[in-house]
Amino acid sequence: MAQGVGGASKKDQKTVRADASAAAPEGGIRRENLRRILTAAEQVFAEQGYGGATTAAIALRAGLPKANVHYYFSTKHELYRAVLADILKQWLDPLAHVTPDSDPAQALAGYIRAKMRATRDRPVVSKVFASEIIHGAAEIEGFLTSDLKKLVDEKSAVLDGWIAEGRMAPVDTRHFFFFIWAVTQHYADFDAQVRAVLGRKKLTRRDFDAITVEVVRFILRGAGLSLPTA
C-alpha cells in the first residue's frame, strides 16, 4: 500500500474523534450519503492506499457525483480522517460494557464477538487501520497517545479489579487487550492466508460463527474464564 499521510500539523494532532463530530450526519439523506461515501472510501483506501486513492474513485465506488463527496468532505485528507474515526468508533464503543459490575466472561466475550462481527462485516476497515499504523500513525498519533491510552488504562483498571477479587486469573491487562485486537483483526488483515490454510475460497457466516466460538474460548481460557452459555 502507499505511504500514509505525513507532516501532520497541530490541527492534525487533535483526536480523530473531533473529525468524526465535524462530519456528524443530520437527516436521512445526509446520513445515507455519508454512509455510502465512508463505505466506498474505506474500500478504496484499503485497495489503493492513501496515496493511490482519489476522491473521483471514491465517488465512483459510492455511485455519487464527485461534487457530492466534496460537499461533505472538502479534501481527501479530511475524508481519510473521517474513515479512521469511524473505524475507531466501531471498534471501541463495545468496550462500554466492560464495567466493574459486569460478569467478566460475559463482558469480555461480548467485546470479542463485537470485534469478530466487525471483521466479518467490514474486513477492509482493518486493512486501512493496519496500513495507517504501519506507516507511522501520523493521522491518529494524538488519539493513540491520549484518548486510546486513557480508555485502555480505564478498562485495564476494571480487569485488574476483577483479578484482585479473584474473578479472573492474573494477566497483564494491557497486553490482554493487545491479544484481543491481534487475534480478532488477524482474520481481516490476513484473510488470504486464513482461507488458504482452511481451504476456503470465501469464509461463510457459518465459518465465522465457528471461528468466533474458538477465538472467544481461547482468549477467555487465558484469563481463567469459561465460555458463557449465552
Side-chain angles (χ1 to χ4, degrees), residues 7 16 19 92 137 148 153 156 182 193 195 201 211 213 227:
V16 185
D19 294 83
L92 299 177
L148 181 63
D153 286 347
S156 291
Q193 175 178 273
R195 287 186 284 103
K201 290 185 177 180
I211 291 167
V213 170
L227 190 69

Side-chain angles (χ1 to χ4, degrees), residues 75-96:
T75 65
K76 181 176 73 169
H77 183 194
E78 183 182 333
L79 177 52
Y80 180 64
R81 289 177 64 86
V83 168
L84 291 172
D86 194 49
I87 293 169
L88 290 165
K89 178 177 174 59
Q90 180 190 36
W91 283 356
L92 299 177
D93 279 2
L95 277 174

Side-chain angles (χ1 to χ4, degrees), residues 66-166:
K66 183 178 176 181
N68 281 38
V69 175
H70 285 297
Y71 175 80
Y72 295 104
F73 303 98
S74 58
T75 65
K76 181 176 73 169
H77 183 194
E78 183 182 333
L79 177 52
Y80 180 64
R81 289 177 64 86
V83 168
L84 291 172
D86 194 49
I87 293 169
L88 290 165
K89 178 177 174 59
Q90 180 190 36
W91 283 356
L92 299 177
D93 279 2
L95 277 174
H97 299 289
V98 177
T99 64
D101 295 332
S102 302
D103 175 74
Q106 292 282 1
L108 293 173
Y111 178 58
I112 296 165
R113 288 171 182 143
K115 286 288 275 94
M116 287 301 294
R117 283 195 298 272
T119 290
R120 180 195 69 199
D121 296 340
R122 295 172 66 193
V124 295
V125 304
S126 189
K127 296 183 189 328
V128 175
F129 184 79
S131 179
E132 171 65 16
I133 295 295
I134 289 169
H135 293 115
E139 296 306 314
I140 58 172
E141 181 180 5
F143 174 83
L144 296 178
T145 58
S146 57
D147 291 43
L148 181 63
K149 184 179 186 306
K150 180 180 177 181
L151 179 63
V152 174
D153 286 347
E154 175 187 322
K155 298 306 177 181
S156 291
V158 172
L159 271 61
D160 286 334
W162 291 343
I163 293 168
E165 295 168 358

Side-chain angles (χ1 to χ4, degrees), residues 195-226:
R195 287 186 284 103
V197 172
L198 296 180
R200 301 279 199 277
K201 290 185 177 180
K202 180 179 180 180
L203 294 179
T204 65
R205 182 174 290 268
R206 179 174 292 182
D207 289 327
F208 265 104
D209 288 345
I211 291 167
T212 298
V213 170
E214 188 58 34
V215 168
V216 172
R217 180 186 290 116
F218 177 81
I219 294 175
L220 292 188
R221 186 184 298 140
L225 300 169
S226 298

